Amino acid sequence: MNLEIRRRPVRYARIEVKPNGMVVVTAPEGFDVDSFVERHKEWIEAKLAEIESRRTESGFPIDGELYQVIRGRKTRVHGEFRTVVFSAHPDEAIAGLKSYLRPGIMALVEEYSGEMGVFPERVFIRHQRSRWGSCSPQGNINFNVRLVSVPPGLREYVVIHELAHLKHMNHSKAFWEFVGRFYPGYREARRELKKWWSIIELNPYWRWLGGGE
């Protein structure tokens, strides 16, 4: 396995399997990493097998389903035929995916803003490399265009999560209680979103789209 050891002043050692298959162990100086890895060998192998299975899947994920990719002049999603047309340039393709995603995101924002009693100043769809969404102190919310790939129920959770930050600009107990009032299954959603982030990181079309804005 590809193993990276990070020596840090942490109290407990931990293992993380990255989407690219790298196994990262963070441990304090003097800690026996080899024995630690051996004890968790079965778990690591299961994670690596899961990543490999995702790597072999073909197609582009839309709304949690794999769509066939066709090259064309203009990016367009055809739900009826489960196909997505990609134009030649990543930035144009990203723009098309933003256009497809935005109406659904805005409908969720409008629905839950009223229920939650919080109202964003502006809503943006951006191509972010590290998170599903963010909320600024000015009350602006950003949603990642990568959300086009996840099942609709997970998008709903992300919208609720970011709207909740308009009331609690942290991840305090009060924040999670507020989220839980509108999305009781938020813990499972968080776990599923981690899986989907790996799927997107490994998808060859998303890697190609990495050059788009």
Side-chain angles (χ1 to χ4, degrees):
M1 68 180 70
N2 294 321
L3 178 64
E4 178 183 338
I5 301 173
R6 298 177 181 176
R7 297 292 182 177
R8 301 286 189 273
V10 295
R11 187 173 181 181
Y12 301 105
R14 63 178 183 271
I15 300 176
E16 181 182 5
V17 180
K18 297 289 188 179
N20 62 2
M22 177 69 70
V23 179
V24 179
V25 177
T26 304
E29 291 291 342
F31 185 84
D32 187 349
V33 172
D34 290 340
S35 296
F36 185 62
V37 170
E38 184 63 28
R39 289 199 303 273
H40 294 85
K41 185 177 180 180
E42 290 187 9
W43 180 85
I44 294 171
E45 290 176 345
K47 283 291 184 182
L48 291 172
E50 182 180 350
I51 288 173
E52 187 59 32
S53 68
R54 293 171 184 165
R55 194 190 304 274
T56 59
E57 293 178 343
S58 60
F60 185 80
I62 295 284
D63 298 331
E65 303 287 342
L66 284 176
Y67 279 43
Q68 180 184 358
V69 175
I70 300 172
R71 296 293 182 177
R73 294 176 57 189
K74 184 177 181 180
T75 296
R76 192 184 306 275
V77 176
H78 297 282
E80 181 181 359
F81 304 106
R82 287 174 59 116
T83 60
V84 55
V85 180
F86 278 144
S87 49
H89 302 287
D91 54 346
E92 294 176 358
I94 287 291
L97 292 175
K98 288 179 181 180
S99 296
Y100 175 80
L101 177 64
R102 188 172 182 84
I105 288 287
M106 294 308 299
L108 288 169
V109 169
E110 183 176 353
E111 175 186 353
Y112 282 103
S113 289
E115 290 187 28
M116 299 169 71
V118 292
F119 301 91
E121 289 294 325
R122 301 181 68 185
V123 175
F124 301 95
I125 308 292
R126 302 191 188 280
H127 190 189
Q128 298 172 304
R129 276 31 176 221
S130 60
R131 47 186 164 177
W132 296 110
S134 60
C135 178
S136 75
Q138 293 75 34
N140 298 323
I141 294 181
N142 298 310
F143 292 107
N144 195 334
V145 70
R146 287 184 171 196
L147 287 169
V148 75
S149 286
V150 308
L154 295 182
R155 278 203 294 271
E156 184 177 4
Y157 161 69
V158 174
V159 169
I160 291 170
H161 183 114
E162 297 307 331
L163 286 174
H165 277 311
L166 295 172
K167 187 176 181 68
H168 302 282
M169 286 296 293
N170 50 46
H171 288 108
S172 63
K173 181 180 179 181
F175 168 81
W176 290 115
E177 288 177 348
F178 189 54
V179 170
R181 285 168 52 189
F182 303 94
Y183 202 101
Y186 68 86
R187 290 183 179 87
E188 178 62 24
R190 294 179 71 195
R191 288 192 291 269
E192 287 299 311
L193 282 171
K194 287 181 180 180
K195 294 179 182 178
W196 276 99
W197 193 270
S198 295
I199 290 171
I200 289 169
E201 286 285 297
L202 293 169
N203 185 268
Y205 298 105
W206 268 115
R207 297 179 74 169
W208 170 73
L209 289 168
E213 294 299 329

